[in-house]
Amino acid sequence: WTKTFVGIIFTIAALPNSSTAAHRIPNSAMTSQSPRKESYARGNSSRATMLTKIVVLTSLVRSSHAFQNNFNTRLTVGLEPITSRIPQNPYYERRRKHCPHTPLRSAALFPVDGPSPELGNDAQMSLHDTVQAGVSSTTEEDNSRISLKDKILLASSSGLGIAALLGLLSMASAGCWRYFLAGGVCAAVSHAIPTPIDVVKTRKQIDPDLADVNMLKATRKLVKKEGMGVLWSGLGPTVFGYLIEGAVKFGVYEVLKPIIKSFLHNLAAATSIGFFNSSLLAFLLSGVVSGFSASVMLCPMEALRIRMVADPDFAPDGFVKGGQKILRREGVAGLVKGLNPMILKQVPYTVTKNVSFDIFTTSLYAMMRAQNMAMTAGMKFTVPFVSAVVASILSCITSQPGDMVLSLINAQEGDERPGAIFRRILKSDNGIAGFFVGFKTRMVHVGVIVTLQLLIYDYVKRLCGIAATGCV
């Protein structure tokens, strides 16, 4: 660098002063000299100019050779993370195999003869690490923006969801907001409490080392390996996601029940088909619509939760940053790639849970009225509690296959389709039983969730002035 700098300065200072003979010979001298002497003076000036150029160019060439050798030494070490992916000749492949700890120089791009005396091995490794970190940070910076297409998809889907919800509320009776409030509170609280159980269940489904051990042993392994904090992975998206999901699921279900029941009654009268005039059919259809709506609302948060559970280091700065990371890397598709298994899970889960809870509470209260039993505070707790336990068992069984596929598809990056995962499970050694991996752990998890959820829902409804489920 010093030789180059001196050469450039010398060039700037010398060449303009020697470019013409007029700059070296005064006008008076030129007029007084004979033509022969004038030609001789011009020849001396030209030779001096040529000599100056030769000295300058020699200095620049020497300094450029020194700079090139130094530059090649540093650049080839730094480019190893990139050039290592380029096929090398057999000599360098053997060198990589037998000397894995020696910094590899890519002779295919920059031939370097021997180690550089100006850069030791420690400095080379340090530079290697620095450049490798720079390559990683460059990759992060390249993905640091959410594309315009994804922004439009987010805005349009949010607008459609809000419009559909407002349209549904306009057809409902006054005070229907209480169903949404009760549903959101009960779902958020009931899913937050058993988060450690859900973490163990998810890790058993995606980690082959934990698949064949019971829940207690799997919990001990996780805590010993990753600490107690791993049991609360994904708590943020769990609470936020199920707050929205519960509000939509219970609110839409309760609002649609009278609307669909009235529609089916009119349809039965118009077609003279008594099958349509059925409360059970109205409950089932309401459950299907509410389960589908809840799946769409929950899918992004569930994808983020499973990613955080599968990789605790994925979002160290919180679930909001984790969601932004998925959007930058995979786009909106990364958040909704599990929509099909989510629907496969949530629709049977919602239909079974809500409808069975409605049917069992209605039947038990009707039995109590038929036997003239007093409606004490204890009975008001016992009836929904028993109904909730039965509903939790049934909903766990019907939604287990969808939950298994959902866990596998959201646990990793990529675009593997749910159908491919479904076939892979069927072709595995477990066969159909592969869909029920982690079922016992999930039975405990879902049992706690659904029982708490339905009890809280029934209690909050009564606090808001709505009759308990099944009483009317």
Side-chain angles (χ1 to χ4, degrees), residues 182-246:
V185 171
C186 74
V189 174
S190 61
H191 279 84
I193 292 175
T195 295
I197 303 175
D198 192 31
V199 170
V200 176
K201 181 268 302 181
T202 302
R203 295 293 288 268
K204 280 174 63 66
Q205 290 177 332
I206 65 177
D207 190 349
D209 295 334
L210 301 176
D212 297 329
V213 300
N214 58 40
M215 186 178 69
L216 294 178
K217 290 183 179 179
T219 304
R220 285 197 296 267
K221 282 187 175 182
L222 285 176
V223 173
K224 183 178 180 180
K225 183 178 179 181
E226 304 178 32
M228 287 293 296
V230 70
L231 297 179
W232 295 98
S233 301
L235 179 62
T238 297
V239 174
F240 184 77
Y242 280 98
L243 177 68
I244 300 175
E245 185 263 354

Side-chain angles (χ1 to χ4, degrees), residues 404-471:
M404 182 65 189
V405 177
L406 182 67
S407 296
L408 291 177
I409 199 171
N410 282 326
Q412 56 189 357
E413 296 183 9
D415 55 354
E416 188 176 11
R417 296 183 177 276
I421 295 178
F422 194 89
R423 290 189 294 270
R424 177 154 56 88
I425 295 175
L426 283 177
K427 293 178 181 179
S428 65
D429 296 336
N430 295 327
I432 296 178
F435 291 104
F436 290 88
V437 174
F439 176 73
K440 294 180 180 179
T441 305
R442 186 169 183 263
M443 177 69 75
V444 177
H445 175 239
V446 173
V448 173
I449 283 180
V450 173
T451 303
L452 284 176
Q453 188 176 112
L454 294 177
L455 287 176
I456 296 172
Y457 177 68
D458 206 53
Y459 182 73
V460 174
K461 278 204 313 180
R462 284 182 286 177
L463 285 179
C464 294
I466 304 176
T469 304
C471 283

Side-chain angles (χ1 to χ4, degrees), residues 63-90:
S63 61
S64 65
H65 278 301
F67 172 75
Q68 182 183 6
N69 291 335
N70 198 7
F71 175 76
N72 286 346
T73 301
R74 287 163 170 78
L75 189 59
T76 52
V77 176
L79 283 176
E80 183 183 342
I82 300 174
T83 58
S84 61
R85 296 192 293 268
I86 302 176
Q88 305 291 335
N89 58 49

Side-chain angles (χ1 to χ4, degrees), residues 168 180 247-257 289-290 293:
L168 181 62
F180 291 89
V248 172
K249 179 168 60 180
F250 285 97
V252 171
Y253 177 75
E254 296 289 355
V255 168
L256 281 181
K257 278 196 303 184
V289 176
S290 63
S293 304

Side-chain angles (χ1 to χ4, degrees), residues 80-158:
E80 183 183 342
I82 300 174
T83 58
S84 61
R85 296 192 293 268
I86 302 176
Q88 305 291 335
N89 58 49
Y91 168 76
Y92 284 95
E93 291 296 330
R94 289 194 301 271
R95 182 177 174 185
R96 182 189 298 277
K97 179 179 179 181
H98 296 291
C99 305
H101 301 292
T102 302
L104 180 63
R105 306 173 191 273
S106 177
L109 298 180
F110 301 98
V112 179
D113 297 328
S116 172
E118 302 176 0
L119 194 65
N121 287 332
D122 294 339
Q124 289 177 1
M125 294 304 295
S126 177
L127 181 60
H128 175 277
D129 296 338
T130 302
V131 175
Q132 190 171 14
V135 172
S136 300
S137 63
T138 302
T139 304
E140 291 289 338
E141 290 176 0
D142 292 340
N143 298 326
S144 61
R145 293 181 180 274
I146 301 174
S147 66
L148 179 61
K149 177 183 176 181
D150 291 328
K151 292 179 180 179
I152 294 175
L153 286 174
L154 287 173
S156 59
S157 58
S158 300

Side-chain angles (χ1 to χ4, degrees), residues 102-405:
T102 302
L104 180 63
R105 306 173 191 273
S106 177
L109 298 180
F110 301 98
V112 179
D113 297 328
S116 172
E118 302 176 0
L119 194 65
N121 287 332
D122 294 339
Q124 289 177 1
M125 294 304 295
S126 177
L127 181 60
H128 175 277
D129 296 338
T130 302
V131 175
Q132 190 171 14
V135 172
S136 300
S137 63
T138 302
T139 304
E140 291 289 338
E141 290 176 0
D142 292 340
N143 298 326
S144 61
R145 293 181 180 274
I146 301 174
S147 66
L148 179 61
K149 177 183 176 181
D150 291 328
K151 292 179 180 179
I152 294 175
L153 286 174
L154 287 173
S156 59
S157 58
S158 300
L160 289 175
I162 294 174
L165 182 60
L166 292 177
L168 181 62
L169 291 177
S170 64
M171 295 187 296
S173 58
C176 63
W177 58 269
R178 294 175 290 182
Y179 293 115
F180 291 89
L181 175 63
V185 171
C186 74
V189 174
S190 61
H191 279 84
I193 292 175
T195 295
I197 303 175
D198 192 31
V199 170
V200 176
K201 181 268 302 181
T202 302
R203 295 293 288 268
K204 280 174 63 66
Q205 290 177 332
I206 65 177
D207 190 349
D209 295 334
L210 301 176
D212 297 329
V213 300
N214 58 40
M215 186 178 69
L216 294 178
K217 290 183 179 179
T219 304
R220 285 197 296 267
K221 282 187 175 182
L222 285 176
V223 173
K224 183 178 180 180
K225 183 178 179 181
E226 304 178 32
M228 287 293 296
V230 70
L231 297 179
W232 295 98
S233 301
L235 179 62
T238 297
V239 174
F240 184 77
Y242 280 98
L243 177 68
I244 300 175
E245 185 263 354
V248 172
K249 179 168 60 180
F250 285 97
V252 171
Y253 177 75
E254 296 289 355
V255 168
L256 281 181
K257 278 196 303 184
I259 296 175
I260 293 181
K261 190 173 183 179
S262 175
F263 172 77
L264 291 177
H265 177 74
N266 295 331
L267 183 63
T271 59
S272 300
I273 300 177
F275 170 75
F276 292 120
N277 193 13
S278 169
S279 297
L280 177 61
L281 182 59
F283 289 170
L284 290 174
L285 292 177
S286 301
V288 169
V289 176
S290 63
F292 178 82
S293 304
S295 300
V296 175
M297 301 300 294
L298 180 62
C299 188
M301 289 294 104
E302 188 70 1
L304 179 57
R305 181 194 69 81
I306 293 177
R307 187 73 62 83
M308 292 176 66
V309 172
D311 183 7
D313 298 328
F314 176 75
D317 297 328
F319 73 95
V320 176
K321 295 291 185 181
Q324 293 175 353
K325 183 185 292 186
I326 293 179
L327 284 175
R328 290 195 300 267
R329 291 183 176 180
E330 306 174 48
V332 176
L335 293 175
V336 298
K337 64 182 181 180
L339 182 59
N340 290 338
M342 174 65 75
I343 294 173
L344 182 63
K345 168 189 173 181
Q346 280 292 325
V347 171
Y349 175 77
T350 302
V351 171
T352 307
K353 179 182 65 177
N354 289 9
V355 174
S356 61
F357 185 68
D358 258 337
I359 292 176
F360 281 111
T361 52
T362 301
S363 301
L364 291 176
Y365 282 128
M367 187 183 303
M368 291 176 59
R369 286 192 293 268
Q371 297 181 0
N372 295 324
M373 297 178 61
M375 193 67 63
T376 62
M379 294 304 298
K380 288 182 180 180
F381 173 81
T382 303
V383 170
F385 177 76
V386 173
S387 302
V389 171
V390 176
S392 67
I393 297 173
L394 296 177
S395 60
C396 182
I397 296 173
T398 57
S399 61
Q400 173 64 27
D403 182 77
M404 182 65 189
V405 177

